[in-house]
């Protein structure tokens, strides 16, 4: 072994001997520092002094320096930048700033930018310098050791054959070693922060249901695992492997649970068992339904059979409406159980020869393999929609869900599996556009439109920030006096390329991608601001805003409305909120409290599209609703369709008996108006009186038509 040569430029050193580089221009300061360090006995500090930053940097090119003392004001460096230059040249070296200024601000900046300490001259005089240097050098040494330890652990964990996965106390993944990355299909960066159940998806081999780790991962519990368990791991790309795993809790010094380490490995001898489970390879594990691979297979067979016998087959593409909302409000576990419940109901609606498959997060594809007539498909689609609408009782919650269904037929809409599924998907989009909870058959001419819809989804995000929404206002008219009793604010999207887009085209998308709540908040704010402006201009008119179900259920809804009213200084009686029947009935008990609070505040409340939902009379009596708006579908045919005329008359008298205002929507003709007047309907809204218009035009209208007396 070569003997180290101590005769060169580096003198021999022992552990207690440390080299300090002083970079300072002031000789008096240098003398003071030398003096302060001379007495350090158990921790010898040799000082090498240079006067310029450039010389200091040059010196640092050689090894051997343990710490730097730096004056920030040098002939070739002024102020905090001097520290930046030095720190970037020697990022791992402790730097202590010495200064004749006792400047708090500068001291803070120096520490923020990486200095270990900031020592004013007074501290040097008080002989704190040796201690400060010693602390900095020892801290640095400890950091180096811990870095080496961490690196050693990382290399070790990456070299072993077992997969190792770390989880924090909230159940989120913090670490994966290389084998764990390979087995789960998640990279460390991707997985970090994701819930364990997402990254480490395991399935119980007997039940085919998700297997949960037998451990309570919450801060209150230290309970840990039993013996290693056997299960099947679902890799991110769907590949399955049989594994054995166990988990060990990690505690902090106080003994509190701070995380868990899971170790797992593939169990080769279990593979034969796995192979006995072709079910898992072809089925989606959360719902146990056939996965798209198996669906494709069955669809191929059905097409071949139908082709031979000259039969038809149908593909139903089913997307759950507002499923993200359920996940966000009630949590993923309830969302998962809802999917299972949906799966069971769908299966109960089809024959054994049909296939219900899980196709995506909230998407199912149903294959009706043999159909005689198109009406059979309609019957089946209706049956599924009804089955899903019944409340789902999950973990103590009553959850409501509806679906939009698109239907394609073999051979009419396609000759292969891919085309049929795609056509049904496009038709599903038309169903969404028609207000959801309905089914639509594929139409060739609708496909470009549906594709456009998909592209709108991208540009809808950010439309709020880009201020692309506007409100148009439609007058509500007193049928006895012709006065304007209010304005309904209706949102429009001023798309930079496609021009003005009506709400039917983008509201369903906004609801699905959770943009509806901020959009509705914007509409309430803008409408209140406008109402206040009209009031300030001596043209007071109440403004009605449409509120979506999601917004109504938002926990902050009431507080937001109150804050907006305060912000815009609008008296609450000038704001009316229009709520649809289905939004009200979604969770009637929770909603009733919000409605009471709004009513107490003085905000007016209306039921929109009345007659199309399922409001019960007893519920109507309980909630503080001021106005019923008869849906325009009844008004459209009042003069031609006796049923519709009956509904309209009934709603008008219901309104009278409940002492509610009644407004007929969608009045387009003199005949409709005459009918409503004869039935003693007091107010109406529709193209006959005025289309929705920009605020400036509405203001002009207010000047010509005398406004109503307004709310009392
Ligand atoms: P709605 O609240 O029932 O609004 C009435 C719709 O009927 C409006 O359609 C209006 O332009 C239209 N309309 C008015 N008079 C007539 C008529 O005489 N004949 C016919 N055929 N139609 C008439 P629009 O503006 O396309 O809005 C559609 C729906 O979108 C609204 O129905 C409402 O549910 C929703 N909506 C509009 N603005 C907002 C908003 O800011 N937030 C939310 N959440 N929904 C909104
Ligand atoms: Mg409305
Ligand atoms: Mg309406």
């Amino acid at each position: 072994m070569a003997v180290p040569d101590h005769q060169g430029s580096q003198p021999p050193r022992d552990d207690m001997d440390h080299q300090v580089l002083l970079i300072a221009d002031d000789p008096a300061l240098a003398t003071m520092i030398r003096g302060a360090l001379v007495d350090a006995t158990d921790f010898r500090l040799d000082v090498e002094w240079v006067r310029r930053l450039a010389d200091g940097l040059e010196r640092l090119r050689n090894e051997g320096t343990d710490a730097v003392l730096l004056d920030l004001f040098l002939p070739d460096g002024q102020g905090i930048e001097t520290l930046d230059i030095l720190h970037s040249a020697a990022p791992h070296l402790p730097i202590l700033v010495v200064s004749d200024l006792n400047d708090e601000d500068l001291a803070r900046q120096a520490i923020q930018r990486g200095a270990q300490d900031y020592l004013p001259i007074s501290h040097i005089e008080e002989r704190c310098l040796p201690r400060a240097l010693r602390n900095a050098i020892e801290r640095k040494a400890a950091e180096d050791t811990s870095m080496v330890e961490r690196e050693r652990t990382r290399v070790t964990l990456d070299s072993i054959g077992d997969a190792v996965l770390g989880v924090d106390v909230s159940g989120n993944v913090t670490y994966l070693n290389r084998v764990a990355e390979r087995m789960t299909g998640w990279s460390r960066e991707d997985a970090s922060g994701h819930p364990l159940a997402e990254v480490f998806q395991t399935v119980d081999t007997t039940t085919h249901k998700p297997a949960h780790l037998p451990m309570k991962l919450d801060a209150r519990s230290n309970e840990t695992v039993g013996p290693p368990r056997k299960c099947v791991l679902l890799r991110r790309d769907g590949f399955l492997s049989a594994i054995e795993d166990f988990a060990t809790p990690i505690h902090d010094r106080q003994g509190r649970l701070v995380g868990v380490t899971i170790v797992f490995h593939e169990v080769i001898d279990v593979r034969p068992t796995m192979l006995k489970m072709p079910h898992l390879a072809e089925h989606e594990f959360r719902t146990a339904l056939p996965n798209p691979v198996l669906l494709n297979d069955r669809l191929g067979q059905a097409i071949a059979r139908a082709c031979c016998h000259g039969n038809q087959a149908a593909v139903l593409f089913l997307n759950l409406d507002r499923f993200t909302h359920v996940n966000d409000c009630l949590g993923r576990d309830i969302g998962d159980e809802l999917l299972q419940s949906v799966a069971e109901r769908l299966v109960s609606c089809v024959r054994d020869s049909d296939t219900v498959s899980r196709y995506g997060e909230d998407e199912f594809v149903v294959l009706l393999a043999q159909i005689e007539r198109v009406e059979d498909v309609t019957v089946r689609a209706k049956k599924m929609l009804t089955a899903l609408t019944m409340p789902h009782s999950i973990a103590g919650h009553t959850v409501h869900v509806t679906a939009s269904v698109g239907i394609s037929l073999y051979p009419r809409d396609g000759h292969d599996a891919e085309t049929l599924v795609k056509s049904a998907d496009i038709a599903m989009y038309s169903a969404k556009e028609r207000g959801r909870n309905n089914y639509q058959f594929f139409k060739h001419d609708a496909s470009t439109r549906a594709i456009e819809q998909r592209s709108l989804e991208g540009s809808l995000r950010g439309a709020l920030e880009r201020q692309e929404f506007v409100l148009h206002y439609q007058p509500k008219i007193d049928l006895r006096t012709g006065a304007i009793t209010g304005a309904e604010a209706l949102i429009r999207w001023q798309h930079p390329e496609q021009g003005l887009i009506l709400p039917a085209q983008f509201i369903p998308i906004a609801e699905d991608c959770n943009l509806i709540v901020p959009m509705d908040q914007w509409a309430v704010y803008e409408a209140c601001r406008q109402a206040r402006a009209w009031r300030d201009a001596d043209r007071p008119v109440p403004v009605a805003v449409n509120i979506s179900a999601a917004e109504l259920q938002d926990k902050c809804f009431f507080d937001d409305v109150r804050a907006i009213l305060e912000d815009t200084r609008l008296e609450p009686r000038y704001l009316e909120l229009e709520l649809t029947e289905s939004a009200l009935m979604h969770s009637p008990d929770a909603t009733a409290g919000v409605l009471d609070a709004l009513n107490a505040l003085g905000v007016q409340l209306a039921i929109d599209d009345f007659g199309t939902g399922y409001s019960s009379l007893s519920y109507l009596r309980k909630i503080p609703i001021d106005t019923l708006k008869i849906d325009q579908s009844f008004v459209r045919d009042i003069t031609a369709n006796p049923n519709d005329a009956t509904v309209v008359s009934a709603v008008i008298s219901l309104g009278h008996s409940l002492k509610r205002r009644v407004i007929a929507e969608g009045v387009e003709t003199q005949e409709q108006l005459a009918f409503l007047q004869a039935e003693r309907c007091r107010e109406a809204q529709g193209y006959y009186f005025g289309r929705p218009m920009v605020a400036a035009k509405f203001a002009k209208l207010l000047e010509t038509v005398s406004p109503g007396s307004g709310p009392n």
Side-chain angles (χ1 to χ4, degrees), residues 488-490 544-547 578-580 608-609 629 665 685:
E488 176 171 7
L490 295 156
V545 188
N546 295 282
I547 299 297
E578 294 194 4
L579 315 157
T580 59
D608 206 351
D609 304 347
K629 296 190 76 179
E665 283 189 297
Q685 185 183 340

Side-chain angles (χ1 to χ4, degrees), residues 237-250:
D237 60 3
F239 182 84
L240 299 165
S241 48
I243 61 158
E244 196 172 63
D245 72 350
F246 66 90
T248 315
I250 305 167

Side-chain angles (χ1 to χ4, degrees), residues 477-513:
I477 304 294
D478 184 323
L479 294 185
R480 291 172 309 176
T481 63
I484 295 175
T485 58
E488 176 171 7
L490 295 156
I491 197 165
R492 271 95 184 90
W493 179 13
Q494 189 66 59
H495 193 282
E497 283 127 37
Q498 302 190 22
L500 204 66
I501 303 183
L502 291 176
Q505 260 183 283
F506 63 86
I507 285 191
I509 306 174
E511 284 180 329
D512 276 349
C513 53

Side-chain angles (χ1 to χ4, degrees), residues 290-307:
N291 63 15
V293 178
L294 183 54
L295 170 78
N296 248 0
D297 204 39
R298 299 239 178 115
L299 200 46
Q301 290 170 17
I303 290 171
R305 226 177 299 119
C307 179

